[in-house]
Amino acid sequence: MKPILEVNGLSKRFKAHQALKGISFAVYPGEILCFLGPNGAGKSTTIHILSTALQADAGEIRFRGTPVAQETNGLKRSIGIVPQDLAIYEEISAEQNVRFFASLYGLKGKELQERTEEALAFVGLSDRKDDKPKTFSGGMKRRLNIACAIAHQPEVIIMDEPTVGIDPQSRNHILDSIRQLREQGATILYTTHYMEEVEEISTRIIIIDHGEIIASGTKEELKDRLAGEKLYEIVVDRTEGLNPDELYGISGVKQVRAVDNLLRIMTVSGIDNLDQIIVHLMQSGIKIQHLTSSAASLESVFLQITGRKLRD
Ligand SMILES: Nc1ncnc2c1ncn2[C@@H]1O[C@H](COP(=O)(O)OP(=O)(O)OP(=O)(O)O)[C@@H](O)[C@H]1O
Ligand SMILES: [Mg+2]
């Protein structure tokens, strides 16, 4: 599959501070690509450059293969940006806000009105459309910020930490909306420093720190590759008659613990040995009642590659 957006060697320096150190990545159609990184990692700088609000010192961005420097208009219409700092007008109604932004993207007349109403309904603000954002909660403002960016139905939606500091209900609403936008065919680039959100919505992850990409992959790949260990938790009818030595004989098995009817087997990830473990249990006359396989958490992955916790 061809990428919808390609970023090559993007660099940005603010005085003495090198905020981006030549990052490269691609965004593929239909994915929810999560850009995960702590404060100051360079997430917003990347997005400001993608939105053309900021100029890079070096690097190239291609949209559907064409350098964006050559087709800014097409790009504007195709991308919707939800900025980290709210970009809404407090003194005009929610509806007027959405109409204003959608009209900047060239919508007018009946289409403008329909898309505005759709966007407001989508973020759950139809009943507050005539109210001014200054009367809204933080979560409602965030949702309006999103409506303003998606009313023109862009192919790519870029969101910069849209759930920071809001109530759980608005947060869930936003995460659901993102999944829905993807189902409707949009491609999403989503920045966050919340692991739980990445766990919940990402189809792929890029971890960025100090202006560099330090890891990327699906959450399963990241956990598998970086943690190097996997845990099988197997509930069995009994553990008597089990010979741990034979389990240790299976390739990849590092540790076997039995507590009551729960068997915990730590194994090297990347080695397919579950079949052999199951066969061994069956041959010992032990019945499996439940089995789960879990990789290390994203938090531990981050800790391992950076030596720090994400929220330090
Ligand atoms: N306009 C600016 N002038 C000077 N330094 C800047 C500017 N914008 C960003 N920086 C610096 O560049 C680095 C990256 O900032 P950026 O805003 O991209 O981080 P971020 O990953 O979005 O962080 P956060 O999670 O806090 O939003 C930081 O060290 C920041 O202080
Ligand atoms: Mg930021």
Side-chain angles (χ1 to χ4, degrees):
M1 207 189 325
K2 286 202 179 119
I4 194 161
L5 199 62
E6 282 166 280
V7 171
N8 278 310
L10 213 59
S11 295
K12 182 69 190 177
R13 171 185 285 274
F14 295 108
K15 297 207 178 99
H17 185 73
Q18 191 72 42
L20 290 179
K21 300 171 183 166
I23 62 166
S24 302
F25 62 94
V27 186
Y28 293 89
E31 66 178 349
I32 300 180
L33 177 58
C34 280
F35 231 59
L36 176 69
N39 291 137
K43 304 184 296 296
S44 296
T45 303
T46 305
I47 286 175
H48 288 150
I49 294 170
L50 288 175
S51 72
T52 68
L54 189 70
Q55 201 158 7
D57 298 336
E60 188 190 51
I61 303 166
R62 286 173 179 263
F63 182 75
R64 293 203 183 280
T66 310
V68 299
Q70 290 166 24
E71 60 139 17
T72 39
N73 281 338
L75 185 76
K76 277 223 168 75
R77 181 94 208 227
S78 307
I79 294 189
I81 308 253
V82 182
Q84 182 169 8
D85 298 321
L86 291 174
I88 53 176
Y89 295 98
E90 298 276 346
E91 298 288 346
I92 59 173
S93 73
E95 182 174 11
Q96 284 166 328
N97 265 284
V98 179
R99 282 183 67 93
F100 172 73
F101 285 101
S103 65
L104 290 184
Y105 294 114
L107 298 191
K108 30 183 185 302
K110 193 161 162 261
E111 191 186 24
L112 175 61
Q113 192 52 34
E114 281 172 7
R115 295 280 169 81
T116 298
E117 282 167 19
E118 277 167 25
L120 285 163
F122 186 74
V123 299
L125 286 176
S126 295
D127 56 339
R128 298 294 302 268
K129 70 184 172 62
D130 297 324
D131 298 335
K132 294 175 181 170
K134 67 177 179 184
T135 66
F136 286 2
S137 70
M140 290 165 74
K141 286 183 190 180
R142 287 266 157 218
R143 277 145 59 190
L144 178 59
N145 203 36
I146 292 174
C148 291
I150 62 166
H152 64 292
Q153 300 189 328
E155 289 174 82
V156 180
I157 301 164
I158 300 180
M159 299 186 169
D160 197 358
E161 307 213 41
T163 58
V164 166
I166 63 173
D167 59 283
Q169 199 190 342
S170 282
R171 180 181 167 276
N172 288 340
H173 193 289
I174 289 175
L175 295 184
D176 282 344
S177 311
I178 291 166
R179 280 187 287 247
Q180 223 175 311
L181 286 166
R182 176 182 181 233
E183 277 161 27
Q184 291 167 5
T187 301
I188 292 142
L189 177 63
Y190 184 95
T191 88
T192 183
H193 61 270
Y194 293 129
M195 289 292 181
E196 315 82 69
E197 294 190 345
V198 173
E199 293 268 2
E200 225 174 296
I201 63 168
S202 73
T203 59
R204 196 159 63 89
I205 304 162
I206 288 178
I207 300 182
I208 177 170
D209 194 19
H210 298 304
E212 284 177 295
I213 290 173
I214 54 176
S216 66
T218 64
K219 54 186 174 243
E220 292 80 14
E221 282 167 358
L222 281 178
K223 289 176 185 175
D224 263 18
R225 196 184 69 205
L226 294 163
E229 282 177 8
K230 196 160 57 177
L231 178 70
Y232 298 131
E233 291 191 302
I234 309 173
V235 180
V236 291
D237 64 339
R238 60 184 173 84
T239 49
E240 306 93 74
L242 185 75
N243 184 351
D245 285 346
E246 284 178 26
L247 281 173
Y248 277 113
I250 295 171
S251 157
V253 172
K254 293 175 77 174
Q255 194 185 63
V256 181
R257 289 270 154 81
V259 184
D260 299 327
N261 285 2
L262 176 66
L263 202 59
R264 280 213 174 88
I265 302 178
M266 189 69 94
T267 168
V268 175
S269 66
I271 295 181
D272 262 344
N273 55 13
L274 189 55
D275 288 2
Q276 282 169 273
I277 292 171
I278 292 172
V279 166
H280 175 78
L281 294 177
M282 284 165 61
Q283 284 172 350
S284 311
I286 292 171
K287 279 206 170 62
I288 296 175
Q289 287 163 343
H290 186 72
L291 187 150
T292 57
S293 165
S294 56
S297 73
L298 273 181
E299 184 79 46
S300 64
V301 169
F302 189 84
L303 186 67
Q304 178 164 341
I305 46 180
T306 64
R308 335 183 247 112
K309 286 206 157 179
L310 191 57
R311 291 195 191 97
D312 271 358

